[in-house]
Amino acid sequence: MGIKLDSRNFGLAIGTFVIALLTWAGVARAGDELGTFDGQADVGTVSPPGTAKFDQATGQYRITSSGQNMWAAHDDFHLVYRKASGGLTLTADITLAGESKGPHRKGGLMIRQGIEPDAAYVDVMVHGDGLIALQYRSKPGGTTADIKANIKAPAAVRLERHGDTFTAFVAPKTGASDKPQAFEPIGSVKVELKDPVYVGLAVCSHDAKATETAVFSGVSLKNEAAAVDKRQAN
């Protein structure tokens, strides 16, 4: 007895398979393009739109953005992110590219409640004049505050989240090797952010009419919740 195929159903099945395959391929490419992270977004007003490039060979992220500022009650910047829950440790060596004289252009590590311009967040930022600071907004639309580090760039930075406690660290780069030394705490703050949060890399030019680029090297993201889930699965 032969099998009779309905051409319409067969065509639909083939079409569904092809769409699924293309979707999978697109997700794979997006993941490759952003390395550790899953997405990117302009927060607030960013014109032209921000861009992010990940070099698999070097492990570097190159992020370019405009943006008036990341301060007070409103932010304008580009964010490369992953949504995550639980304890987090994000580390990177950050260099601001080019010869811009903008002292407040900045690139850094951020843990944020959402991508709304006035969302609560904590970050550690490397500024154009070498200033490194832990910055935070405790509630939506609230005023931004900061804790300034005693060490200036060049340096590597780290941001940790444990419950509602966020701690920023800095490791100076000295000597011919240009390798970061031991991490030293900048300070800690308590900010209540609900899971999941946006964790990632942020860049702002501090000039709505100009763009600036930051290069992130040695990026490491550790997620305690993901590690627990993996152990439980095994």
Side-chain angles (χ1 to χ4, degrees):
M1 179 178 179
I3 299 176
K4 184 178 181 180
L5 295 177
D6 187 318
S7 60
R8 288 174 299 177
N9 291 339
F10 180 75
L12 179 61
I14 291 296
T16 301
F17 172 76
V18 170
I19 291 172
L21 183 61
L22 291 174
T23 300
W24 175 85
V27 170
R29 286 196 299 271
D32 291 344
E33 290 173 358
L34 294 177
T36 297
F37 303 98
D38 298 328
Q40 58 179 309
D42 287 327
V43 178
T45 301
V46 179
S47 181
T51 61
K53 295 181 180 179
F54 174 64
D55 188 327
Q56 289 185 327
T58 63
Q60 290 184 334
Y61 297 80
R62 191 176 184 90
I63 303 174
T64 300
S65 180
S66 63
Q68 184 62 40
N69 204 355
M70 299 166 63
W71 195 253
H74 178 98
D75 305 319
D76 302 302
F77 69 101
H78 193 68
L79 177 67
V80 175
Y81 65 85
R82 166 179 282 184
K83 295 181 75 171
S85 300
L88 298 164
T89 300
L90 180 58
T91 305
D93 185 349
I94 303 170
T95 302
L96 294 167
E99 299 298 327
S100 170
K101 296 181 180 179
H104 299 294
R105 62 177 179 149
K106 55 183 73 75
L109 314 179
M110 175 176 282
I111 300 175
R112 190 177 183 93
Q113 185 64 82
I115 57 175
E116 301 79 13
D118 66 345
Y121 73 90
V122 182
D123 68 30
V124 55
M125 286 287 147
V126 177
H127 296 68
D129 62 359
L131 171 68
I132 298 173
L134 165 65
Q135 302 178 162
Y136 61 99
R137 181 183 296 128
S138 298
K139 60 182 181 180
T143 301
T144 301
D146 68 351
I147 300 173
K148 296 178 176 62
N150 294 323
I151 297 169
K152 286 197 169 187
V157 291
R158 174 174 291 165
L159 183 61
E160 294 186 1
R161 178 203 192 199
H162 300 287
D164 294 336
T165 300
F166 294 79
T167 305
F169 300 84
V170 59
K173 295 172 66 177
T174 58
S177 66
D178 199 36
K179 292 183 178 180
Q181 306 302 304
F183 278 96
E184 304 175 18
I186 297 172
S188 295
V189 294
K190 283 190 174 293
V191 177
E192 184 179 349
L193 299 182
K194 297 180 180 179
D195 287 330
V197 294
Y198 288 71
V199 53
L201 315 177
V203 174
C204 173
S205 68
H206 199 263
D207 183 344
K209 297 180 181 180
T211 60
E212 297 285 355
T213 298
V215 179
F216 298 77
S217 306
V219 176
S220 170
L221 174 58
K222 297 179 181 179
N223 185 346
E224 294 176 5
V228 171
D229 290 343
K230 186 175 181 180
R231 289 198 297 268
Q232 290 176 344
N234 293 335

